[in-house]
Amino acid sequence: MRAQLSRANPRRALALLAVGAIGGLLLAGYGLFTAQGTRSRSVPPEAIALVNQRPILRSDFTAQVQTQYTVPFADSTPAQRHQVLEDMIDEELMVQRGLDIGLPSYDPEVRQALVAGVELELFADVLAQRPTESDLKAYYAAHRAKYVRDGVMRLRDLLVEPTAGRSAAACLDAARGASKALRNGQPLDAVMQLFTLRDSRRLMDSGHVDTGDVFDFAARARLEPAVFAAASRLQDGQVSDPVEASDGWHVVVMVKRVFPAQRPFEEVSNEVWRDLSEDAKRRVRAANLKYLRGRADILVTPP
């Protein structure tokens, strides 16, 4: 008997190897399916539910109950809590289904929501920071031109327009004569009639001349660049020299002028904080896109 046990037995060796292999597979399977991150039948403490292993957080559930029923969570009823949980489970199922069918790849609203969500995550640190007053004053000093109160003009833009029987030289002479006469105090209507001037259509609104106050930015958009440049230098009651533009010679009469003024830091501190924050967001976004582009495989055809 002892001789048989000490003698090598191939069948017995193979059987023992098989038993060991099966035991190892069973242990590996147990470890695989009980390891963290694998499918589980238990809900982690921070979650109220698992939907296809995706947690619905207790904090989100509590906030949703309070928001939906406008009561403190402790005062909500079991029925209200049940309804909110069911709604959140339904929402999670729909979100997962949308991801399964590739909804973010083609639906514009979903794509915009994803971009907004990613940017909100990127900007979290920026939004959490509170710049000091010295930071704000330094930004204000570096961007003073952004915090200038816009000027105001009340003016008449008079035009000497070339016609078939009126040469360019004659138009210039008429504009010079009108400018001189207005500076000498002659009435506007009489000078317009004498030198055949009319109001430029650029300052007309619904066919009528706009003789009210106009902010500089509006005047810049409506007047020829050369005409606006001449007008912006005039003070109350002054008259410009003739200004050549694409439609003829212009003479600007400045009835009222309020020049742009620097706004003090104390007045614009909230705007400075907002602008500083927006600049920081732009830098973070640009850095993130640069990083993502560096890792991406992008192919572009000629437009």
Side-chain angles (χ1 to χ4, degrees):
M1 184 67 178
R2 291 182 179 176
Q4 291 179 354
L5 290 175
S6 61
R7 187 183 307 150
N9 189 327
R11 291 185 179 180
R12 185 173 61 195
L14 290 174
L16 291 174
L17 288 173
V19 170
I22 293 172
L25 289 173
L26 291 174
L27 288 174
Y30 175 79
L32 177 64
F33 289 101
T34 58
Q36 185 178 0
T38 60
R39 184 172 295 274
S40 173
R41 301 306 301 174
S42 62
V43 179
E46 69 274 10
I48 188 69
L50 287 178
V51 181
N52 294 326
Q53 302 302 300
R54 298 274 301 186
I56 296 177
L57 299 179
R58 287 185 179 274
S59 58
D60 294 342
F61 170 69
T62 301
Q64 184 64 26
V65 170
Q66 295 177 151
T67 301
Q68 186 164 326
Y69 292 104
T70 62
V71 295
F73 182 78
D75 295 339
S76 61
T77 66
Q80 290 173 334
R81 297 179 188 181
H82 175 75
Q83 184 60 54
V84 169
L85 182 57
E86 291 298 312
D87 291 343
M88 295 182 77
I89 290 173
D90 290 344
E91 180 184 85
E92 180 60 32
L93 288 170
M94 295 296 285
V95 169
Q96 292 182 20
R97 178 55 181 164
L99 294 173
D100 288 342
I101 63 176
L103 195 62
S105 65
Y106 61 84
D107 186 275
E109 293 184 2
V110 176
R111 293 172 65 88
Q112 291 174 6
L114 284 173
V115 171
V118 172
E119 289 186 339
L120 186 62
E121 186 73 20
L122 290 174
F123 300 154
D125 290 341
V126 174
L127 296 173
Q129 293 176 0
R130 294 293 301 181
T132 64
E133 185 172 357
S134 60
D135 293 333
L136 296 176
K137 287 184 176 179
Y139 185 89
Y140 170 81
H143 302 84
R144 290 177 62 87
K146 297 175 65 173
Y147 307 107
V148 174
R149 185 178 293 107
D150 205 16
V152 176
M153 299 180 180
R154 185 186 302 167
L155 58 87
R156 297 289 291 273
D157 177 23
L158 308 179
L159 173 65
V160 182
E161 193 173 25
T163 61
R166 200 178 197 184
S167 65
C171 290
L172 176 57
D173 289 341
R176 286 172 174 166
S179 178
K180 182 177 180 180
L182 289 168
R183 287 171 175 170
N184 290 334
Q186 294 189 31
L188 178 64
D189 291 340
V191 171
M192 292 179 67
Q193 184 175 3
L194 177 63
F195 293 97
T196 318
L197 277 70
R198 67 171 178 81
D199 285 288
S200 169
R201 298 186 184 276
R202 295 183 177 276
L203 283 179
M204 288 190 176
D205 185 13
S206 301
H208 301 283
V209 179
D210 186 355
T211 57
D213 292 348
V214 180
F215 283 109
D216 279 14
F217 71 86
R220 183 183 292 105
R222 297 169 70 176
L223 296 174
E224 289 262 4
V227 176
F228 174 79
S232 63
R233 295 189 292 266
L234 298 176
Q235 298 181 10
D236 292 359
Q238 287 188 329
V239 180
S240 73
D241 292 328
V243 181
E244 187 177 13
S246 60
D247 52 354
W249 289 91
H250 292 249
V251 175
V252 178
V253 180
M254 185 60 65
V255 180
K256 170 188 172 184
R257 178 65 169 136
V258 178
F259 286 95
Q262 186 70 46
R263 301 166 66 193
F265 172 78
E266 292 73 20
E267 179 184 321
V268 298
S269 58
N270 288 336
E271 295 178 38
V272 173
W273 180 88
R274 181 198 62 204
D275 294 341
L276 189 152
S277 177
E278 290 300 319
D279 281 358
K281 288 181 184 178
R282 281 190 285 270
R283 289 195 298 270
V284 169
R285 186 177 188 274
N288 183 69
L289 286 174
K290 182 179 180 180
Y291 168 75
L292 294 176
R293 283 176 172 267
R295 299 181 60 194
D297 181 16
I298 302 173
L299 298 176
V300 180
T301 60

